[in-house]
Amino acid sequence: MPEYGYFLSCEQYGPAELIEQARMAEQAGFQALWISDHYHPWNDEQGQSPFVWSVIGALSEAVSLPIETAVTCPTVRMHPAVVAQAAATSAVMTGNRFRLGVGSGEALNEHILGDHWPPAHIRLDMLEEAVQVMRRLFTGEEVNHHGPHYTVENARLYTVPEEPIPIDISGFGPAATQLASRVGDGYITMMPDEAMVEQYRKGGGGGKLVSGGTKVCYDTDTDEAVRTVHRLWANEQLPGELGQVLPSPKHFEQAQQLVTEDMVRGNRVCGGDVDEHVAELKQFADAGFDRIYVNQIGPDLRGFFDFYRTKVLPQLQQAV
């Protein structure tokens, strides 16, 4: 049976709100937490961007659920040696309830120090080397590394968990999925694509964890829910590689003017129809996902968690 988790959005909420949502998620019966890792929100309407590692420290004390970043980019804005230290500390604080989700990132967050934003195939090469560096550091041994993208000299993590930290790799296309199957401890994607899951498992992923996530907007007024999603998350309907290459929230705001409310209505679950919410998550289960995360976009968080606790999660558990 798949596990169902809640997706905490650092782009839309401040630290205290995220902690409270995590508590409500645990009380509602969700079994795990994802948390996004951004320097910027996608647009100014979302309006937040707390440092994820500080929030994880607070989450470790507030809840008992497993926690994973979805996802961290350990290649440009932060050196993999620094990400390794943050992840190791998080794993210790959570009692080995932490997984490190990583991906090749977006210019939105990663170019802020003036670094060149490389093409996708270079970013994947950097990600693979970063994973190698972090795994060596997680052993607690001294690491010296001189690779094509990173240099590490006399680095040793003294605070490390008793068990190795799983590193799950995000992939939205064949090349990234192939990398995940070859070097990842798990696979992350936001599409309920059975073919991608099959590629991952046949390419070397085997029985490793496959996780996916989606966003919904619970509201008793469907039209209001559509307007809310259009105002806050229209960026998700932008095509192709725009999400990876646009450099600032203002550029996303310009691009998302092309997104209509009808596009949102056709691509996001909006409103309070329990069957629509169940169907949205069930398509991930049918595609072979092991963990499925959902994020509430709208302001009625208490209504959402009560709705999922009493109606959606029970139906999902009966559907298997």
Side-chain angles (χ1 to χ4, degrees):
M1 179 183 295
E3 293 182 337
Y4 293 92
Y6 186 71
F7 191 177
L8 297 165
S9 172
C10 284
E11 303 95 319
Q12 194 177 339
Y13 295 101
E17 294 170 301
L18 294 167
I19 302 306
E20 180 59 24
Q21 287 176 33
R23 291 193 180 104
M24 289 192 289
E26 185 167 33
Q27 292 167 1
F30 286 98
Q31 298 163 286
L33 296 172
W34 260 1
I35 185 166
S36 56
D37 181 359
H38 269 234
Y39 194 88
H40 292 138
W42 297 98
N43 54 60
D44 283 358
E45 279 290 331
Q46 292 172 1
Q48 292 288 338
S49 195
F51 189 55
V52 70
W53 303 104
S54 300
V55 180
I56 289 171
L59 288 172
S60 71
E61 295 294 316
V63 296
S64 61
L65 299 177
I67 302 165
E68 179 167 18
T69 53
V71 295
T72 293
C73 178
T75 58
V76 180
R77 169 172 51 103
M78 290 182 68
H79 191 284
V82 178
V83 175
Q85 186 182 27
T89 299
S90 297
V92 170
M93 292 187 71
T94 59
N96 294 307
R97 290 182 285 116
F98 178 76
R99 298 180 75 94
L100 177 62
V102 298
S104 59
E106 306 93 12
L108 174 71
N109 302 301
E110 304 305 320
H111 85 293
I112 59 168
L113 303 178
D115 299 277
H116 170 66
W117 184 239
H121 71 282
I122 299 296
R123 300 201 307 269
L124 290 177
D125 287 343
M126 296 170 71
L127 181 60
E128 182 169 3
E129 185 179 344
V131 169
Q132 294 170 353
V133 168
M134 292 188 295
R135 283 210 174 106
R136 290 181 62 190
L137 286 164
F138 290 156
T139 66
E141 299 175 357
E142 182 177 298
V143 173
N144 289 280
H145 173 88
H146 298 275
H149 302 292
Y150 304 106
T151 297
V152 179
E153 292 185 352
N154 306 117
R156 178 185 172 190
L157 296 181
Y158 281 79
T159 301
V160 293
E162 295 180 358
E163 301 174 7
I165 301 168
I167 302 177
D168 299 340
I169 296 179
S170 173
F172 299 97
T177 303
Q178 192 277 331
L179 175 64
S181 66
R182 183 161 47 84
V183 305
D185 296 308
Y187 175 51
I188 291 172
T189 189
M190 298 296 286
M191 302 173 291
D193 190 328
E194 186 175 359
M196 300 288 280
V197 175
E198 185 176 358
Q199 179 194 343
Y200 170 74
R201 297 207 184 279
K202 288 185 175 179
K208 296 177 182 177
L209 185 71
V210 174
S211 301
T214 187
K215 294 180 182 295
V216 301
C217 186
Y218 167 78
D219 197 302
T220 56
D221 184 330
T222 298
D223 291 336
E224 180 61 25
V226 170
R227 288 190 290 269
T228 297
V229 176
H230 185 259
R231 176 172 59 85
L232 290 169
W233 287 92
N235 59 283
E236 289 204 322
Q237 305 306 321
L238 296 176
E241 294 186 64
L242 288 177
Q244 283 71 53
V245 301
L246 293 179
S248 75
K250 291 192 180 301
H251 290 94
F252 277 93
E253 290 165 5
Q254 293 166 8
Q256 67 191 35
Q257 292 178 45
L258 302 173
V259 178
T260 67
E261 288 188 6
D262 284 342
M263 292 168 66
V264 168
R265 193 183 300 271
N267 287 281
R268 276 283 163 255
V269 172
C270 297
D273 187 321
V274 63
D275 291 336
E276 291 184 3
H277 285 263
V278 169
E280 173 70 10
L281 274 67
K282 191 175 182 297
Q283 62 182 335
F284 285 88
D286 292 343
F289 285 73
D290 303 303
R291 279 186 182 171
I292 304 155
Y293 296 81
V294 60
N295 169 257
Q296 160 69 351
I297 291 175
D300 187 3
L301 273 303
R302 293 197 178 277
F304 165 84
F305 284 116
D306 187 58
F307 178 65
Y308 267 68
R309 177 181 61 83
T310 59
K311 297 182 179 180
V312 178
L313 292 178
Q315 283 204 31
L316 287 167
Q317 290 157 359
Q318 293 170 6
V320 177

